[in-house]
Amino acid sequence: MDCDTLLNDVESLGSAGVVLSTEQKVLLQTSLTLLKEQYKFRRVFFWGKILGIKDDYFLAQGVENDELKDRKTLYSNDCVNWKLLPPSSEDAIAKGNLAAGRFTGDPSFVFEYIEMKKVIGDEGEVRDEAQPPVAIKEEEKLVATIAQIDQDCAIVPRAAYNLTATGKVVQSRTFEGQ
């Protein structure tokens, strides 16, 4: 949802169970506009909300020059203070997927993953042996979750974007206002 039309867009999602309080709507509208100016984004989108046990994550994506390559993802727990998430990579996604459990709402929370490997003993018996635990921050799990949702759910109508002569991907003028 584009930050410019956020209030109207959120109202239309109420029938699907996506509800934000009035305070959250106003804070998001204001802070996303400030975020756009602070980071020099061309456009800012409210990506969504991930529920946590203690706190929730409000997510936004900002677009710089190229609509597809220059996207940065930010998160906030209070709709005011935004923090930039590190870019996703295949390794980061694989590591983030190892963290089992619900989000807590604390990006510094550490999940521990213990891998079990099959080992052949001295007498030929097969047994499981625990490997040293791997520490995974909740922020890494958040990056992996967002990257997977983006990859699995992104839909672009034909001709919604144009490739310029300089190689940038920009929104087509025929799709403005939609």
Side-chain angles (χ1 to χ4, degrees):
M1 289 177 262
D2 198 341
C3 73
D4 298 330
T5 60
L6 178 69
L7 294 177
N8 293 334
D9 294 344
V10 169
E11 290 297 326
S12 64
L13 292 175
S15 62
V18 179
V19 181
L20 296 175
S21 69
T22 305
E23 178 186 5
Q24 289 171 339
K25 290 179 206 173
V26 171
L27 285 172
L28 280 172
Q29 180 74 42
T30 306
S31 68
L32 291 179
T33 305
L34 293 172
L35 196 69
K36 184 177 177 181
E37 296 300 318
Q38 179 183 2
Y39 283 93
K40 308 273 190 277
F41 290 135
R42 210 166 35 83
R43 295 177 3 158
V44 173
F45 300 98
F46 176 62
W47 190 91
K49 177 180 174 181
I50 293 182
L51 302 177
I53 296 171
K54 297 176 192 167
D55 251 338
D56 299 333
Y57 289 108
F58 296 90
L59 304 161
Q61 283 188 337
V63 176
E64 291 176 333
N65 293 324
D66 191 300
E67 287 282 339
L68 300 178
K69 294 178 188 171
D70 293 337
R71 283 186 183 245
K72 295 195 181 342
T73 305
L74 301 101
Y75 71 93
S76 173
N77 293 108
D78 59 3
C79 300
V80 177
N81 301 311
W82 293 89
K83 297 167 190 83
L84 195 61
L85 281 172
S88 65
S89 65
E90 293 298 322
D91 293 338
I93 293 171
K95 185 177 179 184
N97 286 336
L98 297 176
R102 294 180 54 193
F103 285 99
T104 63
D106 177 12
S108 62
F109 181 79
V110 177
F111 293 93
E112 282 192 359
Y113 173 74
I114 299 174
E115 185 176 355
M116 302 297 283
K117 286 198 174 184
K118 300 232 182 256
V119 177
I120 299 174
D122 297 337
E123 297 161 11
E125 77 279 356
V126 177
R127 59 186 165 89
D128 289 331
E129 187 175 285
Q131 300 298 309
V134 177
I136 304 163
K137 286 173 125 184
E138 184 161 289
E139 188 177 64
E140 295 171 317
K141 180 179 178 178
L142 188 61
V143 168
T145 302
I146 293 167
Q148 284 185 315
I149 292 172
D150 273 347
Q151 182 178 354
D152 293 345
C153 300
I155 298 174
V156 178
R158 180 175 288 182
Y161 294 108
N162 292 331
L163 184 64
T164 64
T166 60
K168 290 189 323 186
V169 177
V170 295
Q171 186 177 17
S172 174
R173 300 284 308 209
T174 59
F175 277 81
E176 282 185 4
Q178 295 180 358

